[in-house]
Amino acid sequence: MTTYINQIANYKGQEITLRGWLHNRRSSGKIHFLTIRDGSGFIQTVMSKASVGDELFQRADHLSQETAVIVSGRVRADVRAPGGYELDVAHIEVVDETNDYPISPKEHGIDYLLDHRHLWIRSERQQAILRVRHEIIDTIRTFFNERGFVLVDTPIFTPAACEGTTTLFSVPYFEDRTAYLTQSGQLYNEANAMSLGKVYCFGPTFRAEKSKTRRHLTEFWMVEPEIAYATLDDIVKLAEELVVTIVARVLTTRKSELAVLKRDTTPLEKVKTPFPHLSYDEATELLKKLGLSFEWGGDFGSPAQTALAKHFDRPVVIHRFPMSIKAFYMKPDSARPELSLSVDLFASEGYGEIIGGGQRVDDYNLLLDRIKSNKLPQEAFEWYLDLRRYGSVPHSGFGMGIERGVAWICGLEHVREAIPYP
Ligand code: 4AD
Ligand code: MG
């Protein structure tokens, strides 16, 4: 019976065949211990001369890491084995012999590993991260689908900026035109929400970020919900629910991956609502109290984000940033027009911003003013202005960067490990 390592509990005492790769090998002279991985997991197999014969036994002593193998044998329960089972090998077939695999179990530098990312993803740690990433993405899709949102894909080639012109990637578009890689699907989401009410997009987004920090990628994945008639408070609640749902799901379904990553799950278990809510004003006061020099009106850079995100034992919601530091589409707070109806959600343990969003300008004249004062090409935004010409309503939404979420939940130093190919 050909099966997968994660199915092995169903075959106790039976003969099975596993198809995979040699992960690790040690030998006691009379017995070889070969750790096999097959994509679904890892298992230690035990091979004796008596059971496989001299020739195979000799050969197995020279097989090196990442050799592709098919092994057959009997499943034996063993309480000492990591997965609870071992395989007594009766036969091994070498599908492709590997020599000089570039990534050995010893330590390698990060640049070396990144140059070998296509092989590095085979490691137990990288597999664990990719599985958690998968779980997070699956949870997000289910979360929105169950709540009646419609997934509407937004374009990658776009004619204009959404999040400021300084981080735009431009692409030659045929002979005489320029297109830009999308920074966010939001503007199209707004059009889609006016059609379908509750929508989301989920795809790659691009920022020409020159700053090399542990939080920034040039290509990252973002999920963005947008809701017609929703206010800032509505989407803050939705963002909190989303974060709580993701963390709870990963904690229940991905325990073994978190263990591989040596993730201390105690802080994640505290991720329950209500999260602390701070206005931008309150956050700046808190930063001062914490001894950080911070002027009202600035954006929270890396040290400020880290400090705010470390101060609380759970994620924190920060709202009403100054208009001057937020994007052109943010709706001003009618009580204090110098502030925007914006929100950031900072992940705990110093991780910082994982979600940004807010309520959008729904007034035609104000939006036109803001497009002009931000020196955006009005022509490229005429369709966006149409949304305020025809049946404009209050609406709000947010975006969550997947890699920032993965980095936080996995406890990674850097977002580059949170995406398959940074
Ligand atoms: O705060 P941002 O720039 O907001 C928007 O793009 C809005 N248009 C979203 C919306 O309201 N629909 O980006 C949203 C999130 C950030 O909170 C962060 O998690 C992630 O996207 N992000 C990045 N992740 C990795 N590398 C980068 N360079 C990122 N820039 C933003
Ligand atoms: Mg932001």
Side-chain angles (χ1 to χ4, degrees), residues 365-376:
N365 291 314
L366 180 57
L367 185 61
L368 184 60
D369 275 358
R370 296 198 56 85
I371 287 171
K372 284 181 179 159
S373 62
N374 279 268
K375 300 197 172 55
L376 294 169

Side-chain angles (χ1 to χ4, degrees), residues 248-273:
R249 165 95 166 257
V250 173
L251 281 175
T252 43
T253 59
R254 296 294 169 182
K255 272 200 180 72
S256 61
E257 282 80 4
L258 295 175
V260 167
L261 297 168
K262 301 188 171 67
R263 176 67 161 115
D264 174 9
T265 54
T266 326
L268 294 178
E269 274 143 26
K270 296 196 181 121
V271 180
K272 304 241 161 75
T273 45

Side-chain angles (χ1 to χ4, degrees), residues 188-201:
Y188 298 93
N189 266 348
E190 291 181 51
N192 301 337
M194 297 308 137
S195 163
L196 294 154
K198 294 198 276 186
V199 296
Y200 70 105
C201 64

Side-chain angles (χ1 to χ4, degrees), residues 54-75:
D54 274 4
E55 201 190 314
L56 263 185
F57 191 78
Q58 287 302 333
R59 190 166 181 211
D61 205 16
H62 300 282
L63 295 180
S64 81
Q65 190 187 347
E66 289 308 313
T67 289
V69 291
I70 298 179
V71 292
S72 305
R74 196 173 293 280
V75 178

Side-chain angles (χ1 to χ4, degrees), residues 162-163 183-187 189 201 205-209 211 215-226 235 326-327 329-330 343-345 352-358 360 396-405 415:
C162 176
E163 294 299 319
Q183 298 167 305
S184 156
Q186 181 196 318
L187 306 187
N189 266 348
C201 64
T205 45
F206 305 85
R207 304 276 169 102
E209 303 266 12
S211 59
R215 296 189 173 101
H216 290 92
L217 292 162
T218 51
E219 176 179 323
F220 63 98
W221 281 62
M222 180 152 57
V223 61
E224 298 177 83
E226 189 75 29
I235 56 124
K326 286 289 179 188
Y329 53 71
M330 291 285 187
V343 63
D344 276 10
L345 189 147
E353 182 190 341
I354 57 169
I355 287 178
R360 325 305 189 184
S396 306
F398 63 81
M400 172 176 163
I402 297 311
E403 291 73 18
R404 297 231 183 130
V415 283

Side-chain angles (χ1 to χ4, degrees), residues 1-4 7-8 10-11 14-19 70-73 75 87:
M1 184 56 153
T2 300
T3 186
Y4 285 97
Q7 299 300 312
I8 207 140
N10 303 324
Y11 298 97
Q14 298 178 40
E15 285 271 341
I16 60 155
T17 298
L18 297 173
R19 301 177 296 185
I70 298 179
V71 292
S72 305
V75 178
L87 191 77

